[in-house]
Structure formats: C-alpha cells, structure tokens
Amino acid sequence: MLTDHYRIVKQALTPDIYCKLRESVGFQPYAYEDVAVALENTLFSVVIFDRDQPVATGRVVGDGRICFFIKDVVIAPDYQGQSLGKVVMAEIDAYIENVGCDGAYIGLMATPGTEGFYECCGFIQRPTASLGAGMVKFLHKSCV
C-alpha cells in the first residue's frame, strides 16, 4: 500500500513528533513535559515517515488486556487522502489483536467528519439500542 519512500516505525513517537503533527492539524496543544509523560505511559505507537519526515501517527493507551483507547491518529495535511490512516489503524489493530483478550473494549473519540473512516475500520457510532452515548470530560486547572 505504501511506496518505497515511506517507513512504518513502531514505538517511535516522540514529544517533538507528537507536538508537530498535532499542531499541523490544529489539535489542542499540550505542554512538552505533559506530552513526554503521556508518551511514557503509551502502550503502543506507530509513526509513518516519508523519508525522514514524520507524516502520520497513532497511539494506544489502556490497561494492555481488556481496555484499549486509540488516541492521536493524525495525518499531516499534505498526506491526507493517501490511505495513511488505514495503515496506522492496521498497525494498531495488529497490536491490539496480539495483546488483547477476547471481548476487549476498543474505544476512540472521532474528530468531526472522520466517523465514516472509523466505521470502515469496524467501529460503530454510539448511542445504539444497547450502548449509551459516549461521554467526555476535560480537566481545567485554574491558577490559585
């Protein structure tokens, strides 16, 4: 699926790559120190490089057996629409298939407009008749 100048590298996500790719798509920035800690606690990550430039990434957080949450699937704007997201998700799926138990929960929060992509990867939108709406809460610390 990828041409010769692309490389897929597992466990290669660094704070610099993370911050740069998230910024390229307008995602919320985080302090570098916070990103470093978050990445230390990541179960799995994958980075796709175009020669030496990181152009796509994804990571998995969770307990490593029953619960997995896919985060930070980011494709640089100039590389969107080239199936790199499918490659990232295939690498993530292979990792979870290898370590997850039967019936493991795999969740994610889709960026608006990407729901169809994730449905093609086997995800369902909530709510359904048997599953409630997904919910989220953000921590906002105030200075004292």
Side-chain angles (χ1 to χ4, degrees):
M1 182 181 285
L2 296 180
T3 59
D4 291 342
H5 57 92
Y6 288 109
R7 290 183 299 125
I8 302 168
V9 185
K10 299 170 188 168
Q11 306 300 73
L13 187 56
T14 66
D16 289 327
I17 292 170
Y18 179 94
C19 292
K20 180 180 177 185
L21 281 176
R22 283 181 59 91
E23 181 182 352
S24 77
V25 296
F27 283 2
Q28 174 183 329
Y30 293 105
Y32 190 90
E33 313 79 56
D34 295 331
V35 172
V37 171
L39 295 183
E40 286 175 17
N41 291 300
T42 294
L43 294 174
F44 175 80
S45 69
V46 60
V47 179
I48 299 177
F49 291 87
D50 179 358
R51 295 181 174 79
D52 291 328
Q53 178 178 338
V55 297
T57 189
R59 70 185 186 111
V60 179
V61 298
D63 61 25
R65 193 71 179 159
I66 295 173
C67 181
F68 301 89
F69 200 80
I70 298 171
K71 288 285 299 159
D72 306 308
V73 175
V74 180
I75 313 303
D78 291 344
Y79 291 84
Q80 293 176 6
Q82 299 179 32
S83 297
L84 296 181
K86 291 179 184 177
V87 174
V88 167
M89 292 302 293
E91 293 291 330
I92 287 172
D93 284 347
Y95 165 77
I96 295 172
E97 178 72 27
N98 187 49
V99 301
C101 70
D102 186 45
Y105 169 87
I106 306 164
L108 61 79
M109 298 296 286
T111 303
T114 63
E115 297 87 352
F117 167 75
Y118 290 110
E119 286 176 334
C120 289
C121 295
F123 288 84
I124 59 170
Q125 289 192 49
R126 294 176 73 166
T128 67
S130 62
L131 298 170
M135 300 178 78
V136 64
K137 178 180 177 179
F138 293 97
L139 175 64
H140 295 287
K141 293 184 175 185
S142 59
C143 297
V144 178

